[in-house]
Amino acid sequence: MCGIFGYIGKGKNVPQLVLAGLKSLEYRGYDSWGIASLDKQGRIRIKKKTGKIGENNVETLPDNGMALGHTRWATHGGVTVANAHPHLDCSGKITVIHNGIIENYLELKKPLIKKGHIFRSETDTEVAVHLIEDILADHKKNSVKTVKEDFAESVRLAFKKMSGLNAIIVMEAGSQVFVAAKNGSPLTIGRGTVQNEENLLASDAHAILPFTRDLYFMEDDEVVTVGRKEITVRKLADGTKKQIKFQQVNWQIREEVKGKFTHFMLKEIYDQIKVLQSVASADKVELSKLAALIAKSYGTYMIGCGTAAYACLAGTYIFSKIAKKHVNFSIASEFGYLLDFLTKQSLVIGLSQSGETIDLLDSLKKAKEKGATIVALVNVLGSSLYRLSDHKLLLQAGSEKAVVSTKAFTAKLAYLMMLAYILAGKAELGKNYLLKAVQAVEAILKSDFQQKIINLAQKLASRQHIYLIGRGISYPIALESALKIKEASYIHAEGFAGGELKHGVIALIEKNTPCIGFLPNDESYNDTLSGLMEMKSRGGMIIGVSFRHHEIFDEYLPVSDCGIASAIPNAVAGQLLGYYLTVQKGVDPDKPRNLAKSVTVK
Ligand code: F6R
């Protein structure tokens, strides 16, 4: 997580410009933020604050054409100003921003403390800046090199000592360059115009695009020196120079606005109509190529995290039902411990909205090493996942601004359904079901249905626990709906496979415990109904999400039947309930506590 951004050049009001860059990276973490800039005397000045950037400005910081900034998602040390980045060394002449976890920070810290370094934060990051300070001081003693070269070499040597997946940008008061290094965490260099003598560094290319489209995506184990007129990449291992190629990207990035909606989450729930329509009419040639790849693979695995993992799990039911094809599912963070059996014939499909989730990328890299073919179903063009994969399918859901994922989930389901129908030679049928799902979503978004959900949310907002059940494809929908409820409203919600109730879970049901059941018109209906009856017999308050009413429902949310595609409107009903519960609780669903949109640490 964490967003890092550095600018050097002739741009006007550089600290403010870095702040704007940080705002575009805030989805990576919003616990606290900070910016360091150089003053006319070449001294480092820092402003740090806890909380979101909001309407803050950095007018008090000096502007001398060079600044770096950080937006934090805490890993080591609480959310305090002291723990916010940038961090300074003892002399106040070196400052660092960091994304990742320095796994051996304690080991590195002890000898530094012995040597007299004073630590002012509880972070792992601060170790980096003292280590650089220490190595640089040693280096300078017998150096025949320039200050800049000594600085770059010290960063390289320090970074080599750090274990874990990390990216850092470092500024040294006398050097007029940034030195950055990366291993695992993403870092992109932007080459600005010659007239502006400007260059940039950021953890996400999108933050650089307002300045330049001339980009270099740093590879692991590289160190770069970035000045006004120079960009020099070196190998981390031995410091030798590397020839690199910049690429000109022509991505069109649409700036999303909330418009008439109170929150991005609600807007993105509505966006699903258009997204699903566009999947229904997606280019079948591209999809057929991917379907053929799945058909010929000897073992297909779908992996993702959180919401994306639930889409993968839904995919196993989709491929089994529609294409009679077995695909395996794993949570991406577990797949790394499960992949010993992969061969060159294996196909691993990574599902991700951001394309930056480190647990996913790490497992995919391991799968790649074993010779497996990698496919991405990803929303963000140019993301790490996009670049790492052998084949890619862009979800084209448009940018998701709310931290709580909605439209990327249903886009994944829709594409998986289309792929399975194409594999079964029934593309038109797939399209028809998807269009039915669009109609069902439209019905859910009408005011009378929303009023029902609002009323329900008012009743449930004060509850401690909500349980959700489903069987077959409705099982991942129960899991996903529970996640929407808990991550945004902070109410404890758990999804279960309906059949598992009597194996333990039913012990949790008391008088008036809210129990939500997903009952589409498929072979799971009667069994899920039995589960709900068992919950009702223990006092549960039964909420049915179904194509038809049943007398045991205390509350009923009607969702029209659209075959296996009913999973899509059912998921949308779960999203809306999560959204209105959040509003009831007064939480901002676009930025719930403790979360980040892009999970780039393990
Ligand atoms: C939940 C949510 C997360 C993400 C997960 C994976 O609403 O957003 O569970 O789905 O962190 O993220 P991506 O899809 O970007 O890999």
Side-chain angles (χ1 to χ4, degrees), residues 214-247:
D214 206 8
L215 303 180
Y216 176 67
F217 298 97
M218 281 182 76
E219 288 172 13
D220 285 347
D221 299 323
E222 286 182 343
V223 185
V224 63
T225 302
V226 176
R228 283 185 171 73
K229 295 183 187 170
E230 89 159 286
I231 295 173
T232 313
V233 175
R234 290 191 164 79
K235 288 183 190 162
L236 179 68
D238 56 11
T240 51
K241 276 194 194 169
K242 262 183 102 172
Q243 289 305 318
I244 55 155
K245 262 198 180 154
F246 274 76
Q247 38 176 300

Side-chain angles (χ1 to χ4, degrees), residues 305-308 352-354 357 403-405 412 483-484 487 599:
C305 298
T307 289
S352 176
Q353 191 288 127
S354 64
T357 304
V403 164
V404 176
S405 183
K412 285 170 201 147
L483 181 59
K484 296 303 92 159
E487 70 180 330
V599 185

Side-chain angles (χ1 to χ4, degrees), residues 4-313:
I4 58 180
F5 189 90
Y7 176 96
I8 182 164
K10 289 183 177 168
K12 276 203 188 103
N13 199 349
V14 172
Q16 201 62 33
L17 179 155
V18 171
L19 189 74
L22 285 189
K23 267 200 165 187
S24 70
L25 293 171
E26 221 182 1
Y27 68 90
R28 304 177 79 95
Y30 38 81
D31 292 344
S32 54
W33 59 275
I35 293 182
S37 68
L38 281 184
D39 68 11
K40 295 266 185 281
Q41 289 73 40
R43 290 172 305 201
I44 293 170
R45 294 283 176 257
I46 290 183
K47 175 167 180 171
K48 307 203 256 192
K49 279 193 114 172
T50 54
K52 295 170 198 160
I53 298 172
E55 296 311 309
N56 277 290
N57 66 61
V58 280
E59 279 160 9
T60 49
L61 283 180
D63 175 14
N64 201 20
M66 187 176 185
L68 47 72
H70 184 272
T71 173
R72 181 171 187 242
W73 187 86
T75 61
H76 293 59
V79 180
T80 62
V81 172
N83 289 336
H85 303 209
H87 291 286
L88 277 172
D89 70 336
C90 301
S91 69
K93 288 189 176 149
I94 307 173
T95 188
V96 71
I97 49 175
H98 167 223
N99 173 27
I101 293 175
I102 303 170
E103 287 169 359
N104 58 342
Y105 81 103
L106 277 178
E107 202 180 296
L108 297 171
K109 192 171 178 175
K110 280 180 199 149
L112 288 167
I113 290 175
K114 268 197 182 155
K115 284 182 167 181
H117 287 266
I118 309 287
F119 282 77
R120 301 179 192 95
S121 77
E122 304 151 326
T123 63
D124 54 335
T125 306
E126 204 186 341
V127 161
V129 74
H130 291 287
L131 190 59
I132 295 164
E133 177 185 24
D134 206 63
I135 296 174
L136 182 59
D138 258 5
H139 234 73
K140 277 181 177 165
K141 284 180 197 153
N142 308 310
S143 176
V144 287
K145 293 182 178 165
T146 63
V147 181
K148 185 178 78 180
E149 285 166 337
D150 282 337
F151 168 44
E153 184 60 1
S154 309
V155 174
R156 183 181 77 80
L157 294 173
F159 196 75
K160 250 181 112 171
K161 286 178 186 271
M162 298 175 204
S163 61
L165 304 174
N166 295 296
I168 56 170
I169 308 179
V170 195
M171 185 160 88
E172 193 269 337
S175 302
Q176 291 294 314
V177 288
F178 295 121
V179 178
K182 99 153 202 113
N183 172 26
S185 297
L187 199 53
T188 304
I189 306 170
R191 185 162 59 182
T193 59
V194 178
Q195 338 42 310
N196 270 351
E197 289 180 8
E198 74 183 358
N199 289 310
L200 301 101
L201 284 154
S203 38
D204 180 337
H206 295 89
I208 296 178
L209 291 182
F211 300 87
T212 176
R213 295 186 161 263
D214 206 8
L215 303 180
Y216 176 67
F217 298 97
M218 281 182 76
E219 288 172 13
D220 285 347
D221 299 323
E222 286 182 343
V223 185
V224 63
T225 302
V226 176
R228 283 185 171 73
K229 295 183 187 170
E230 89 159 286
I231 295 173
T232 313
V233 175
R234 290 191 164 79
K235 288 183 190 162
L236 179 68
D238 56 11
T240 51
K241 276 194 194 169
K242 262 183 102 172
Q243 289 305 318
I244 55 155
K245 262 198 180 154
F246 274 76
Q247 38 176 300
Q248 194 70 33
V249 302
N250 58 1
W251 310 335
Q252 297 307 319
I253 308 296
R254 226 184 58 208
E255 198 34 59
E256 302 288 340
V257 286
K258 270 189 274 191
K260 61 179 182 179
F261 298 99
T262 346
H263 297 104
F264 275 110
M265 183 176 171
L266 189 59
K267 174 200 170 279
E268 287 160 13
I269 290 174
Y270 272 79
D271 282 352
Q272 292 175 112
I273 294 173
K274 281 214 174 97
V275 174
L276 294 167
Q277 277 165 340
S278 78
V279 180
S281 52
D283 178 7
K284 305 288 177 300
V285 180
E286 275 310 299
L287 290 178
S288 300
K289 281 187 202 157
L290 197 47
L293 208 59
I294 297 171
K296 78 164 200 225
S297 73
Y298 188 73
T300 301
Y301 307 88
M302 290 201 289
I303 65 171
C305 298
T307 289
Y310 299 145
C312 295
L313 180 58

